[in-house]
Amino acid sequence: MIGVAVLAVAGCTQVVSPPLNRAKPVPNYKQAPVDVKKVLGDLSTLDPCSLFEPSDFGGGKVIKSGSWDECPVSLPAASGSQIISIGSVTRLDAVEGSVANPEEENGFSTSIYTSPMAPCGRLLHLGDGTALSVHVMVSGEGHAAEVCPQIGEGFEKMLQRLKKNPKSVKHYTFPPGSTATMDPCQVAPAAALAAFPSRKDWPAKHTCEWSDPAGNTVRLTFGRTDPTWNTYLPVVTVAGRPSLKLEAPNSRDAICVLMTNGPKAPLSDGQVEQASLALTLKGNPDMAAACAQVTQLAEQIWPVVPPAA
């Protein structure tokens, strides 16, 4: 029986109740908050792929390509694979979608947020107006909701991992001159982007986006890639550099992306650094115009990107 001890003393039995001060419950007990910013450390060198294990999210495969800011993971789903993003830190006032009120649990402050692309995104608040996100990045045939259970379960397991084993968080060591040490918001020539006066940056300093009053955007991202990937894409020469060109048309917008590879990435798996420049014409499906404009921008931006080794 909990709360009552039976002692046998000199052949007799005595019932002893615990002191009243021990029997009182602790009102409104809350676990001490986890200092998430301290656990994550320097966001500009954070390896977001070290925050979790693929098994946390029900299996899947880490895609070692894209921005240094995030870790893409391909998850199996009934309708085909869904790619989710893990680890990107952004300002809360820049989150696209509806953000629920924060919930405090196990020392973390978290929120669920929804948008057409991310119906079940998760946010881990860092306490300074920013948050680390887990969300659908690319949805196979628009069935993003299929991986919502994996996102929810994986997010909780990631939090447990951060709390129980904060030393599992790893950081890159970038050599001098690496694009990973360059802030795209600062190195992109201001004159090249004069037509896009509004700017959005990310705390890790590997991605920058500019926009104009019509909603057209230009996004410059520094990251890494496997040089053997995307070989099906056409190669064009821009500012004297081989550049992959990706056209992503839809009925409303035109999106044209140019990517150029740089020196060997500070990883052991043969990856190289990559700069990606994407232009979106909002409400204008003219792909030829989008690709012509992004090429003009790349002519001015590629010279600041370190060349391939």
Side-chain angles (χ1 to χ4, degrees):
M1 182 183 299
I2 299 175
V4 178
V6 179
L7 302 179
V9 181
C12 64
T13 300
Q14 179 182 6
V15 178
V16 180
S17 297
L20 291 178
N21 63 340
R22 290 182 56 191
K24 293 180 180 178
V26 179
N28 300 322
Y29 173 74
K30 291 175 64 176
Q31 293 193 32
V34 176
D35 189 342
V36 182
K37 288 191 68 176
K38 182 177 180 180
V39 172
L40 297 179
D42 185 354
L43 296 178
S44 68
T45 61
L46 174 67
D47 177 3
C49 294
S50 70
L51 305 179
F52 65 96
E53 292 291 339
S55 59
D56 295 344
F57 291 86
K61 181 180 179 181
V62 172
I63 302 173
K64 296 182 178 180
S65 182
S67 172
W68 294 110
D69 289 353
E70 61 190 348
C71 187
V73 177
S74 176
L75 296 182
S79 63
S81 64
Q82 311 283 329
I83 299 177
I84 67 171
S85 166
I86 302 172
S88 177
V89 177
T90 188
R91 298 193 313 273
L92 286 168
D93 60 8
V95 173
E96 297 179 357
S98 176
V99 180
N101 291 330
E103 296 184 0
E104 311 292 331
E105 186 175 357
N106 298 323
F108 294 104
S109 176
T110 64
S111 292
I112 296 175
Y113 78 100
T114 58
S115 71
M117 181 60 124
C120 49
R122 296 296 195 275
L123 295 172
L124 170 59
H125 296 260
L126 273 60
D128 61 353
T130 65
L132 183 146
S133 68
V134 177
H135 61 271
V136 173
M137 186 176 183
V138 178
S139 172
E141 301 181 8
H143 298 286
E146 289 182 349
V147 293
C148 284
Q150 292 104 302
I151 287 178
E153 181 178 352
F155 183 72
E156 293 300 324
K157 290 182 177 179
M158 184 184 74
L159 297 184
Q160 295 173 19
R161 191 180 301 277
L162 292 176
K163 186 171 184 178
K164 294 179 180 179
N165 188 20
K167 291 185 178 180
S168 64
V169 176
K170 305 299 181 186
H171 286 258
Y172 295 114
T173 300
F174 297 121
S178 166
T179 54
T181 65
M182 301 165 61
D183 182 347
C185 287
Q186 301 300 322
V187 299
L193 295 151
F196 299 86
S198 298
R199 193 180 79 182
K200 174 184 176 182
D201 58 6
W202 278 257
K205 306 298 183 184
H206 301 304
T207 304
C208 192
E209 183 178 274
W210 297 262
S211 61
D212 65 12
N216 303 316
T217 63
V218 177
R219 179 177 292 197
L220 176 60
T221 301
F222 293 151
R224 77 287 194 201
T225 190
D226 184 327
T228 65
W229 290 359
N230 298 326
T231 53
Y232 64 92
L233 293 175
V235 178
V236 296
T237 301
V238 180
R241 300 178 64 128
S243 304
L244 296 174
K245 183 170 77 170
L246 172 64
E247 299 180 2
N250 61 46
S251 59
R252 296 171 300 172
D253 311 326
I255 304 173
C256 190
V257 185
L258 292 176
M259 295 162 280
T260 188
N261 292 345
K264 185 178 182 299
L267 304 169
S268 60
D269 50 7
Q271 291 188 313
V272 296
E273 295 185 359
Q274 185 179 77
S276 169
L277 188 66
L279 183 137
T280 300
L281 294 181
K282 202 71 173 177
N284 181 357
D286 189 342
M287 185 60 66
C291 289
Q293 189 170 359
V294 78
T295 299
Q296 292 176 354
L297 292 170
E299 290 281 359
Q300 301 173 75
I301 293 174
W302 276 183
V304 306
V305 178

